[in-house]
Amino acid sequence: MSRRNFISSLGVLLLAGCGDGGNTLATSGGVSSVTTVMPRPATTAVTATPGVPATSSQTPATPTPAEATPAAVSKAFVHPGLLHTQADFDRMSQKVKAKASPWIDGWNVLLANGHSHLNYGPRPQAAVYRGWDGVHAENYPILFKDIAAAYACALRWKISGDTAYADKAVTILNGWSSTLKILGGNSNVDLAAGLYGYEFANAAEIMRSYSGWAAADLARFQNMMRTVFYPINHDFLNRHNNTEVTHYWANWDLCNMASIMAIGVLCDDRAMFNEAVDYFKHGAGNGAVSQAVYYMHPGYLGQWQETGRDQGHNTLGIALMGPICEMAWNQGVDLYGYDNNRFLAGAEYVAKANLIESGNTFYTVPYVTYNNIDRVNQTALSTAARGNVRPAWSLVYNHYVNRKGLAAPYSRKFAELIQPEGGGGNYGPNSGGYDQLGYGTLTCTRDPIASGAAPSGLTAIAGPGQVILSWWGSAYASGYDVKRGTTAGGPYTTVATGITDLLTYIDSGLAAGTYYYVVTAVTPSGLTAASNEATAITAVQLHTYLAFDDGSGTTAVDASGQGHTGTLTNGAAWEIGKQGSAVSLNGSNAYVSLPADIVADVSDITIAAWVYWNASQKWARVFDFGTGTGHYMMLTARSNSGFPRFAMTVNGISGEQGIDSNTAMPIGQWAHVAITLSGNVGTLYVNGNAVGANTAMVLAPFRMGSTSQNWLGRSQYASDPCFNGLIDEFRIYRGALSAAQIAALM
């Protein structure tokens, strides 16, 4: 089977608007422009060990230098500063003393939980095993129950001031730190290190301010977290047990990210904390936010990566990413809002999918097929464990609504449905009931925000004759109005009113042009301020034009006026071309580098060039834009079939969507190649003739996110040969040219 098999329907990201450009053709096309683009991860293919799925035989290309990722803030850590700050505990104490609902209801659930009682008897172990290793019996429930007790007693002390519960929590923490030496088992030890690492660190973070916990004992506990838990967390995120990176589900990455972050704060280790933050934003695995929230549907419903697996694991993802965001927030890093509130999109999707709309009927949510290296090929939302309850929703709802003033209707419904949230032991005796610390109604509930924020995060995705808008709503809005203008900054004309749910609108029947949109909300206090302005271009525009007529030096000027200069690298040279001169690539290591994010704001697209191919190597690239072997868009002159292939992915090789040619690329002569994407239709042309098409293309260039490795003649995979031949008249257009226009380029 070809390593470039087509897998349809991959996860994507919605992006937002920018301004018009020059060189406009008076035809309909589709473009989306971006106001803010967040980087996407590069996926590393590795060799599989026996007994796990095989991976691509290729290795990733070495990245070119890219702009450094901004590090998390370097100020001193706040303590306590994981899931709860001192201000949080002050609020809890005040509300419980006042017997205010729902805090008092959550407090009563805590008091009734046996893990919070002084007669709880911990059982520290020298070695804990999760997963049968052929020798040792599993005993990990002892650990997760003792952690639940330490956390529950720590809460009781901080809220009531009763030091008897502080002493009980310290007894549990000291017992384990003086005893535990080994975490073992099969690969499930990675789950144990992640889940119990982040939970244990949270219990200790609460207790660090207790005068009855000796400094030496705290230091010993910190050392246990550093030496027993963290090495497993770090190794998993970096190696994934030598499997291809899409093999493991999102929750495996997430729990290990949570543990690293929590241990970093507990141990005042900034590098460790930053490791977790950077993985959340740019990691290769499925726990990174762009992979976990795998496909963004209109109205910001973010399909979670495990949606086609089962709802128990799907809801676990929310119960793990939420704490990561909260722990980072309490240290001054906003992961909640990262990538246009991408986590909220995932939470709203999962909540809606697991809520009853009426009777016994669940809400309907959109779904696209998911696949990975194991060929799971999940074509529909899994109904297994649908309606699963985890104590995760109060945290989500209270941040986005009562902190930020946004609308989160389905997270709110779920939080209200299951409050007061319980803790370990309230959701069954097995590990799933202890995968989260819980008690969110008590710990996370905030007073209602006085007024909602204005609509925000407005994005516009243009297609032929239409624009799809999505936005984030306001906490108390009863409806939304959409306004459109033809000049940046207005004036605007109202084109839709009274929009409620979902927060999306399709503006159709548009002529070719540039349009500017804002959204306002109707609230009890009146009309809100307008949202950010989003721009959509429904005309075809020349975006990049490298004529390669420079003839000398290492720079290829962009004649489109957009400044997308090409840089000749590793001996790329000048030769006589199809028209004027051309760039000559030696098939060894020469290539042309284009600017970062060159197509990060483009939806419908045309890419065309004249090529003179000297050698018939498989997988040599005409172009390859991406961030590594996880996110890329490429055209190869010859795939395993012997014919050209265009492919795009945001989920590695198994997630490629492609167009295969039905004819070979000529060798030793000039040939004109082009690819067009218009909505879900992709077409591949050779010498003006359509030689392949795909009418189910879900992906578009902007959905790759930020790309730093945009090359002519070089592949994202290091083992692929470089292009051997000439490239001339390289063009990128915003929008899809017609077949007649492709012919005209020749």
Side-chain angles (χ1 to χ4, degrees), residues 330-501:
N330 287 333
Q331 298 301 331
V333 178
D334 185 9
L335 298 183
Y336 280 116
Y338 180 77
D339 203 357
N340 195 14
N341 302 311
R342 193 171 182 90
F343 171 56
L344 176 58
E348 285 291 282
Y349 182 95
V350 174
K352 186 174 184 180
N354 285 277
L355 284 167
I356 296 288
E357 182 175 15
S358 64
N360 295 318
T361 303
F362 287 92
Y363 282 101
T364 299
V365 293
Y367 183 85
V368 296
T369 296
Y370 175 80
N371 212 339
N372 66 3
I373 195 65
D374 302 322
R375 308 296 183 191
V376 294
N377 197 34
Q378 295 165 345
T379 60
L381 178 146
S382 172
T383 58
R386 198 167 190 184
N388 183 72
V389 172
R390 291 184 184 270
W393 299 103
S394 183
L395 181 150
V396 177
Y397 164 65
N398 277 281
H399 172 80
Y400 286 108
V401 178
N402 290 328
R403 264 193 190 137
K404 303 302 292 182
L406 302 180
Y410 297 103
S411 297
R412 175 183 60 80
K413 288 180 181 180
F414 220 129
E416 291 174 350
L417 177 68
I418 67 173
Q419 73 177 19
E421 291 180 352
N426 289 120
Y427 300 91
N430 299 322
S431 60
Y434 292 82
D435 286 345
Q436 52 283 309
L437 290 167
Y439 303 113
T441 305
L442 170 65
T443 61
C444 300
T445 300
R446 312 177 76 83
D447 286 320
I449 195 168
S451 60
S456 59
L458 177 65
T459 59
I461 299 177
Q466 71 173 28
V467 175
I468 302 174
L469 301 171
S470 297
W471 62 92
W472 291 112
S474 179
Y476 301 122
S478 58
Y480 299 86
D481 300 338
V482 175
K483 302 174 182 181
R484 180 185 68 216
T486 55
T487 304
Y492 306 102
T493 299
T494 299
V495 295
T497 61
I499 297 172
T500 54
D501 184 36

Side-chain angles (χ1 to χ4, degrees), residues 3 45 55-59 653 717 719:
R3 69 181 182 123
T55 68
S56 167
S57 62
Q58 297 187 331
T59 54
I653 193 169
Y717 290 89
S719 58

Side-chain angles (χ1 to χ4, degrees), residues 479-570:
Y480 299 86
D481 300 338
V482 175
K483 302 174 182 181
R484 180 185 68 216
T486 55
T487 304
Y492 306 102
T493 299
T494 299
V495 295
T497 61
I499 297 172
T500 54
D501 184 36
L502 291 167
L503 301 189
T504 182
Y505 176 71
I506 300 177
D507 193 15
S508 58
L510 298 172
T514 302
Y515 300 95
Y516 304 89
Y517 295 89
V518 296
V519 173
T520 55
V522 178
T523 72
S525 57
L527 204 63
T528 65
S531 69
N532 61 294
E533 182 180 79
T535 306
I537 307 167
T538 60
V540 174
Q541 295 181 342
L542 184 61
H543 177 69
T544 302
Y545 177 25
L546 304 183
F548 290 118
D549 288 338
D550 311 82
S552 63
T554 59
T555 297
V557 173
D558 175 19
S560 75
Q562 303 298 315
H564 298 148
T565 302
T567 302
L568 280 64
T569 305
N570 292 342

